[in-house]
Amino acid sequence: MRRYSVFAVAREGLRYHSGWERAWRSPQPKKKYDVIIVGAGGHGLATAYYLGKNYGITNVAIIEKGWLGGGNTGRNTTIIRSNYLQDPSAAIYDKALSLYENLSQDLNYNVMFSPRGLIMLAQTHHEVRGYKRTVLANQLQGVATEWVTPEQLKKLVPIINIDGPRYPVMGGLYQKRGGTARHDAVAWGYARACSDMGMDVIQQCEVTGVRTEGGKVVGINTTKGDIDCDKLGMVVAGHTSTLAEMAGFRLPIESVALQALVSEPIKPCMDVVVMANTVHGYMSQSDKGEMVIGGGTDSYNNYTQRGSFHHIEETVRALVETFPMVSRLKMLRQWGGIVDMTGDRSPILSKTPVEGIFVNCGWGTGGFKAIPGSGWGMAELMAKGHSPLTAEFDMYRFREGKFIDESVAAGVAH
Ligand code: FAD
Ligand code: PYC
């Protein structure tokens, strides 16, 4: 595939953009692959990419029932940070953040990574204690975060109301390296790189069954026919329980809707990302000027990809309290995604009871930020059978009580 560069843009400008190649091929499935990844979201594509890049495994298909990035990867609010509490989390999320820092160069695709800084507001004494504890834990983990006072916060975010009527701002957890990236571009960049390595990204192809023989995976049934494989990675976020059921095992996952909305575009007014978890809203400004806004999950399980109406009202109410200027904004669009929740709010990257089947799920409301680190670790697990990055995220931790509790860091209350 021809590299994207300033020279390519100039060349194509001169010939009316007639020479751009398709960014990825649209092949028909082969009879057999060494590895099949189900789910062309960020995590599935990143897993495939690092299988090829780090281990030379390129006889790989990525099977997607819709269009690539059309699941949660293309529906999230693009927040990236690594300010988690527990050591295994800090390791994988900070690996992801480090990879994000050079991802555009690595993929030769502009993922618009914008390390503009991220603040989590503390608006109760409980949150003050929780976030100060996280700052101390992060210092031990080598993850640079800091505690900021309300006055420092007001300087960083002039539009914020630190004297709110119900929950005045008492300080915040600040990660300067945090920020955002363009979510679709992350999926598109990985897909293009995978296709360039000879991998098949197969869209509009739903996996309808998993075939096993003697406790080992041998292939899948799909709407485009049966495909054989030696190894299978299930990376399907909110549909993980459905896939696991096809293979005959169960996972401690619940699927719920999480929603977001964007306002009309306005002039630049906020150059950091702010999360306000007590009143329950978070906001950043996109490059187009829209305010990107999100709230909490629905309180019941579902697969609707829509979410309920009262959440929009609740989220906007929370933000009007924190950023009074929001009351004068018109909202443009609302959407939802189905997120996969575990009990300890940490993901599962694991072997399964079926030999050759691996699962990557449970990122819940916060997996966009983890995509490169998760793909890196999952590829190592699938190629070598073990990865230091994923070892603690084994599915059997729930049976053994070795939880990785990230309910404070999850950012979205549920
Ligand atoms: P997905 O992107 O959902 O990909 C899974 C794919 O599997 C889908 O494309 C689906 O079509 C496919 N699939 C499912 N079943 C089958 C089948 N049977 N056959 C074939 N394909 C199948 N995270 C953050 O870090 N920061 C945020 O700011 C943030 N905000 C969010 C806001 C919202 C509204 C939502 C919904 C999520 C948010 N998240 C955020 C979470 C983040 O989006 C997810 O954790 C992450 O995108 C999960 O990626 P994935 O690749 O695992 O799943
Ligand atoms: O995990 O940072 C996060 C997040 C923000 C919005 C949704 N999830």
Side-chain angles (χ1 to χ4, degrees), residues 77 79-81 84 118 258 275 282 365-367 369 409-412:
T77 44
I79 297 175
I80 295 174
R81 58 189 173 87
Y84 281 70
L118 168 127
L258 176 66
M275 302 179 66
Y282 47 91
T365 60
K369 66 177 83 64
V412 175

Side-chain angles (χ1 to χ4, degrees), residues 104-140:
S104 296
Q105 290 76 8
D106 186 29
L107 298 179
N108 179 229
Y109 200 97
N110 186 2
V111 301
M112 296 164 77
F113 177 60
S114 165
R116 59 184 73 177
L118 168 127
I119 300 168
M120 292 168 99
L121 302 182
Q123 292 175 285
T124 62
H125 290 289
H126 180 71
E127 267 182 330
V128 171
R129 272 200 305 274
Y131 290 151
K132 283 191 170 171
R133 181 181 177 213
T134 303
V135 171
L136 294 173
N138 289 164
Q139 278 168 11
L140 294 173

Side-chain angles (χ1 to χ4, degrees), residues 2 7-21:
R2 245 185 267 135
F7 303 109
V9 172
R11 186 188 60 230
E12 290 307 322
L14 288 174
R15 56 181 187 187
Y16 301 101
H17 297 280
S18 57
W20 294 115
E21 295 168 298

Side-chain angles (χ1 to χ4, degrees), residues 38-45 63-81 84 205-208 235-239 243 246 257-260 282 305 335-340 360-361 363-371 412:
V38 190
H43 289 265
L45 291 161
I63 308 285
E64 168 56 50
K65 73 172 175 181
W67 65 98
L68 66 90
N72 293 337
T73 298
R75 292 164 187 266
N76 69 75
T77 44
T78 77
I79 297 175
I80 295 174
R81 58 189 173 87
Y84 281 70
C205 179
E206 181 168 357
V207 175
T208 52
V235 198
V236 291
H239 292 88
L243 257 287
M246 291 178 198
L258 176 66
Q259 299 182 64
Y282 47 91
Q305 275 196 337
W335 64 91
I338 301 303
V339 297
D340 44 344
N360 178 341
C361 65
W363 293 98
T365 60
F368 176 68
K369 66 177 83 64
I371 285 171
V412 175

Side-chain angles (χ1 to χ4, degrees), residues 119-132 147-150 153 159-173 274-283 314-315 317-324 408 411:
I119 300 168
M120 292 168 99
L121 302 182
Q123 292 175 285
T124 62
H125 290 289
H126 180 71
E127 267 182 330
V128 171
R129 272 200 305 274
Y131 290 151
K132 283 191 170 171
W147 175 254
V148 283
T149 63
L153 262 164
I159 62 168
I160 207 167
N161 174 21
I162 54 172
D163 301 314
R166 285 194 303 157
Y167 294 106
V169 174
M170 302 165 89
L173 169 57
V274 177
M275 302 179 66
N277 299 337
T278 291
V279 294
H280 220 170
Y282 47 91
M283 190 163 85
E314 208 171 86
T315 303
R317 191 170 56 215
L319 286 178
V320 168
E321 198 172 322
T322 319
F323 306 96
V408 172

Side-chain angles (χ1 to χ4, degrees), residues 249 251 348-359 378 381 384-386 390 393-396:
F249 61 91
L251 287 165
I348 297 172
L349 295 104
S350 181
K351 292 182 181 170
T352 69
V354 181
E355 197 185 329
I357 298 188
F358 300 78
V359 67
M378 182 75 177
L381 177 65
K384 302 201 320 203
H386 177 81
T390 65
F393 296 105
D394 199 278
M395 66 187 268
Y396 301 105

